[in-house]
Amino acid sequence: MTPLAILVMFLVVTIILIAVIVAMPGVTRTRSGKVLGFLALFLLPAIGGWAGFNEHMERSKTTRFCLSCHIMEPYGRSLYVDDKNWVPAWHFQNNRVPRNRACFTCHTDYTLYGDYKAKIRGFHHVWAQYVTGPKVPIHLYEPYNNRECLHCHGEARVFLENPIHAAQIDELRDNATSCLISGCHDTVHNVDHLSEVKFWKP
Amino acid sequence: METVVNSQPPFKLSLRLRAAGVLLIVGLAIEILSFFWIHPLAFMGFLVIGCAFLGLGIVLFLWTLVSIAKSGPSA
């Protein structure tokens, strides 16, 4: 059984217990009835609500969730570009980021999940999508932080022994030089050029 | 027959328990429904509507408990 099935069963059982009390509120007069009341009208719904919140938080990290908004679709398509210079595509196709949470792995600061600031950003996307309308073309709110790349690459031997990295390792770590500057890893999603490239068909 | 000595007759209390129960059932049903979609609106619906029902139900129940405690053990 999946965790979701267990959670749904838990919720259904809770609903049944509550229904008993709604149908016969008199049962709460007895001592065991009071315990039942406390469980059904307080403890179980509180646990159920909390578990539901966590379930939704987990879902919001999935690639499918990110791509459920039409405006994010080109970014999803860019993961299938058949060219090793497209950084997200090459990571995605070779499982260097988990495929089912590809976007979250590189954009972990920008989801509903994580610290307070990241939550505000996630709500900001939803707000932009449904209320104010997005600003196109989409830009990052803040320049991409090298920290996200270095989280995986920072201590890797191939990264450190590469002479280009080694020559400016402090600038890279301080974010003074972006990993994405032109001539380096400068081809990211490139959504304006998706009509000109070949796609990988798994 | 019960004599009405305290300010909170049991009838009123059981009405409140029922109301709390109905609010909670609606909240939990919305939660289950929200699991059908992997979509930001499902998340928002759960958070804004579902959790509002759950919160109101729990608060109403706790309030009822407090008023029982105030009006004495007979209720």
Side-chain angles (χ1 to χ4, degrees), chain B:
Chain B
M1 279 298 284
E2 251 180 292
T3 43
V4 187
V5 279
N6 55 35
S7 55
Q8 300 279 6
F11 171 72
K12 208 167 166 186
L13 291 179
S14 59
L15 203 68
R16 275 197 218 149
L17 285 183
R18 283 184 143 155
V22 171
L23 287 171
L24 289 171
I25 289 177
V26 173
L28 293 172
I30 291 174
E31 179 174 340
I32 294 176
L33 204 69
S34 76
F35 292 147
F36 278 93
W37 300 274
I38 296 190
H39 195 279
L41 289 186
F43 195 168
M44 290 293 127
F46 161 73
L47 209 60
V48 176
I49 310 173
C51 287
F53 275 97
L54 288 181
L56 282 178
I58 287 176
V59 167
L60 184 57
F61 170 66
L62 292 180
W63 181 50
T64 311
L65 278 195
V66 172
S67 44
I68 291 174
K70 269 197 195 143
S71 65
S74 66

Side-chain angles (χ1 to χ4, degrees), chain A residues 98-109:
Chain A
R99 287 200 189 142
N100 57 356
R101 344 191 120 186
C103 318
F104 175 79
T105 307
C106 287
H107 292 286
T108 182
D109 274 336

